[in-house]
Amino acid sequence: MSKDFYTAPELADLGYVSERLTTVIGEPDSVDGEFRWDGDTVDAVERDILAPAARIMFDAFAPEWNTRIQMNGSNLALGWPQMEQMLARVTMRES
């Protein structure tokens, strides 16, 4: 299921904040003027860093529905929809 690379628009479609891609994933390769992040690197960052952090956040806030709604509406860089989406990708890759 892993891709060879991800472009900035593809990562934005997955819920990443475009302005913070290098902070989260690292420096991209430039191919024909297009920035690309290695697929294995993106998968590893999600699996080894972001998914464990999101699971902790879910455990901390999931019982509090009001907190979850506030986080959904607060335009956080990594809000609940993005975490759910990323956890689904990581879970699918693991299985």
Side-chain angles (χ1 to χ4, degrees), residues 27-37:
E27 293 295 325
D29 296 323
S30 180
V31 178
D32 296 328
E34 178 180 55
F35 291 125
R36 296 179 176 182
W37 284 264

Side-chain angles (χ1 to χ4, degrees), residues 13-16 46 50-51 53-55 57-59 61-65 67-69 71-72 77-93:
D13 288 344
L14 292 174
Y16 288 91
E46 286 188 347
L50 299 177
R55 287 184 179 114
M57 293 291 290
F58 269 34
D59 287 344
F61 292 108
E64 298 297 328
W65 184 248
T67 302
R68 182 177 173 158
I69 290 172
M71 290 180 78
N72 253 337
L78 182 62
W80 285 102
Q82 291 87 353
M83 286 193 284
E84 289 170 341
Q85 198 178 60
M86 182 265 308
L87 283 172
R89 288 193 304 274
V90 169
T91 303
M92 187 177 296
R93 286 186 201 120

Side-chain angles (χ1 to χ4, degrees), residues 9-48:
E10 290 172 327
L11 291 170
D13 288 344
L14 292 174
Y16 288 91
V17 176
S18 299
E19 297 81 25
R20 297 193 181 129
L21 289 174
T22 56
T23 304
V24 175
I25 304 169
E27 293 295 325
D29 296 323
S30 180
V31 178
D32 296 328
E34 178 180 55
F35 291 125
R36 296 179 176 182
W37 284 264
D38 178 67
D40 291 336
T41 301
V42 172
D43 295 348
V45 166
E46 286 188 347
R47 180 189 63 239
D48 299 337

